[in-house]
Amino acid sequence: MNFGLSEKKALVCAASKGLGRAVATSLAAEGVELFLCARGEEALEKTAVKIRETASQPIHSSSCDLITADGRQKLIQAVQEKLGGIDILIHNIGGPKASTVENTSLEDWQAGFERNFISVMDLNNAFLPHMKAQQWGRIVAITSTSVVQPIPNLAVSNAMRAGLTATFKTLADEVAPSGVTVNTVAPGKILTDRTEERLQSEIKRLGKTREELLKNWAEEIPMKRLGDPSEYGPTVAFLCSQQASYITGATWCVDGGKRRAPF
Ligand code: NAD
């Protein structure tokens, strides 16, 4: 299927690794001109070089820290200088610190809010007016299945992603008449660097082997395996497609059936 995106321009946040990189790779394959950002310069450049190997359209990149207002402002300026307005905005950033509700300090709540909520609103404010003016736009946020089934010990993440999902539903209603769709795609357990880090800390904590732990994790998933990022990227690319023009305010899970609720 041709997604009809070859004339489009996208900003993909946190695109150097994992799910962000998978989304960037899928959009690049559809001919989308990309601006990639992430925190670490080296990994970002490596990803940009890899994507350029098969893309004929320009692939721009610039490292940035999305947590700070200053970092976001520099990014917004760089994207506007290179691309003018964008058609597609993919929100992503690393998750907040793990903690229980009782053990989360007020500073950690505030830091999580800035990281996983304010940063998203800041970029929306910058890029949405152009999408509305041209009567076409796609906004997708990478979230987590915790929005429907909170994950123990991820208090801040559970709260921020649920709040973001509700806000995206509200925004989807507001901008629907302008041809802009707003959706979220919730991963379950997908094997990325972040997942590998969690795996390594659990190996230390529980004294189990990698294989034992992966088997335990897979047991909770109807498909009995973790996902691969290449199974996530195309879903986001589809939501950005011309064919997805009637899908908005939705949360799609890419989780091998892990979420135990029907909706
Ligand atoms: P990853 O560690 O593989 O990649 C993280 C990316 O975020 C990197 O490109 C990194 O540079 C970028 N990043 C981190 N902090 C940043 C900052 N301050 N500014 C700019 N870029 C920053 O992680 P992933 O597994 O791809 O996860 C992506 C998001 O999805 C995270 O929020 C994670 O919590 C969430 N998530 C992932 C899974 C999963 O199974 N992988 C499941 C649920 C939720």
Side-chain angles (χ1 to χ4, degrees):
M1 194 186 284
N2 178 344
F3 286 171
L5 296 177
S6 61
E7 301 297 314
K8 303 296 184 197
K9 299 172 185 181
L11 168 61
V12 184
C13 295
S16 66
K17 297 180 186 172
L19 304 179
R21 177 172 60 197
V23 172
T25 304
S26 292
L27 288 174
E30 293 299 319
V32 179
E33 180 172 355
L34 296 180
F35 196 110
L36 311 176
C37 81
R39 202 170 35 182
E41 177 112 43
E42 200 181 320
L44 179 65
E45 190 47 28
K46 211 167 137 194
T47 295
V49 167
K50 180 90 188 134
I51 292 178
R52 283 185 200 115
E53 281 173 11
T54 48
S56 53
Q57 73 278 23
I59 307 293
H60 316 279
S61 66
S62 176
S63 62
C64 92
D65 188 353
L66 287 165
I67 295 174
T68 68
D70 186 48
R72 295 191 295 269
Q73 205 43 52
K74 283 185 186 139
L75 171 69
I76 291 163
Q77 213 176 327
V79 173
Q80 284 169 342
E81 275 167 21
K82 275 280 177 235
L83 303 180
I86 54 169
D87 310 294
I88 298 168
L89 174 54
I90 308 296
H91 292 291
N92 186 27
I93 189 168
K97 259 170 52 180
S99 59
T100 61
V101 174
E102 286 176 300
N103 291 336
T104 304
S105 66
L106 290 184
E107 288 74 24
D108 285 344
W109 287 114
Q110 266 160 351
F113 185 55
E114 185 74 26
R115 166 186 282 275
N116 292 97
F117 190 91
I118 293 293
S119 68
V120 174
M121 296 310 141
D122 200 1
L123 297 185
N124 276 354
N125 289 346
F127 295 113
L128 189 54
H130 171 80
M131 294 183 192
K132 284 173 68 180
Q134 68 174 8
Q135 296 280 297
W136 200 98
R138 300 283 186 262
I139 300 178
V140 181
I142 295 177
T143 58
S144 165
T145 48
S146 68
V147 298
V148 275
Q149 193 171 318
I151 299 170
N153 204 37
L154 288 184
V156 180
S157 176
N158 293 339
M160 298 310 148
R161 298 181 199 281
L164 182 70
T165 303
T167 308
F168 264 40
K169 184 73 181 157
T170 313
L171 178 64
D173 288 359
E174 289 171 8
V175 300
S178 313
V180 179
T181 68
V182 182
N183 294 294
T184 60
V185 178
K189 261 201 171 74
I190 305 206
L191 202 46
T192 63
D193 283 10
R194 176 183 159 87
T195 321
E196 191 63 51
E197 273 167 30
R198 279 194 61 206
L199 205 53
Q200 291 305 325
S201 79
E202 287 296 275
I203 288 169
K204 275 195 205 129
R205 193 172 71 87
L206 303 171
K208 294 193 173 177
T209 65
R210 187 174 183 280
E211 286 62 38
E212 283 170 332
L213 274 172
L214 274 176
K215 194 162 169 272
N216 290 352
W217 282 8
E219 273 309 310
E220 304 163 14
I221 303 167
M223 286 191 181
K224 303 298 174 205
R225 66 176 177 86
L226 272 64
D228 185 85
S230 65
E231 295 174 292
Y232 183 90
T235 304
V236 177
F238 174 72
L239 282 173
C240 297
S241 71
Q242 301 291 0
Q243 290 88 340
S245 53
Y246 204 55
I247 302 170
T248 196
T251 291
W252 282 11
C253 292
V254 179
D255 67 350
K258 178 171 173 281
R259 178 187 52 130
R260 306 310 302 149
F263 306 108

